[in-house]
């Protein structure tokens, strides 16, 4: 009984090693990351900074009380429709 269990364990480990090796080789052939040239990096950096500034501006203008009031009205309307 213990020999059969050991045999099954060895087979499972062998299959796992084969699968992990295949995944490693696949990841090595096709890396997930992308290498950009300097011009593209600069353009992306500028775009990210612009988006960050836009979001910060919108957050300054965002009124939580108005949003909560609109949300409560929407919930009340949904409840009435039920």
């Amino acid at each position: 009984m213990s020999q059969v269990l050991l045999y099954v364990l060895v087979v499972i480990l062998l299959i796992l090693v084969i699968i992990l090796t295949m995944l490693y080789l696949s990841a090595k052939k096709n890396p997930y990351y992308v290498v950009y040239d300097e011009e593209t990096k600069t353009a992306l950096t500028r775009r990210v900074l612009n988006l960050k500034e836009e979001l910060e501006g919108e957050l300054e203008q965002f009124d939580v009380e108005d949003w909560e009031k609109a949300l409560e009205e929407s919930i009340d309307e949904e409840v009435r429709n039920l």
Side-chain angles (χ1 to χ4, degrees):
M1 180 65 179
S2 66
Q3 290 178 346
V4 172
L5 186 61
L6 183 62
Y7 178 73
V8 170
L9 185 62
V10 168
V11 169
I12 290 173
L13 288 175
L14 183 62
I15 292 171
L16 185 61
V17 166
I18 291 171
I19 291 172
L20 288 175
T21 304
M22 289 171 50
L23 287 173
Y24 172 76
L25 293 175
S26 173
K28 192 173 180 181
K29 274 186 189 175
N30 303 316
Y32 181 73
Y33 59 89
V34 179
V35 178
Y36 295 108
D37 60 351
E38 285 301 316
E39 184 178 337
T40 307
K41 279 185 189 179
T42 306
L44 286 172
T45 303
R46 272 188 270 123
R47 180 70 179 137
V48 167
L49 290 175
N50 288 341
L51 288 172
K52 181 181 174 187
E53 290 173 2
E54 288 177 19
L55 283 173
E56 287 173 348
E58 288 180 19
L59 281 175
E60 289 174 0
Q61 297 172 0
F62 185 73
D63 188 10
V64 175
E65 292 175 3
D66 286 342
W67 177 77
E68 287 176 344
K69 192 182 299 181
L71 184 61
E72 286 176 6
E73 291 172 0
S74 173
I75 291 173
D76 289 341
E77 185 178 326
E78 289 292 327
V79 168
R80 276 186 253 124
N81 290 338
L82 293 176

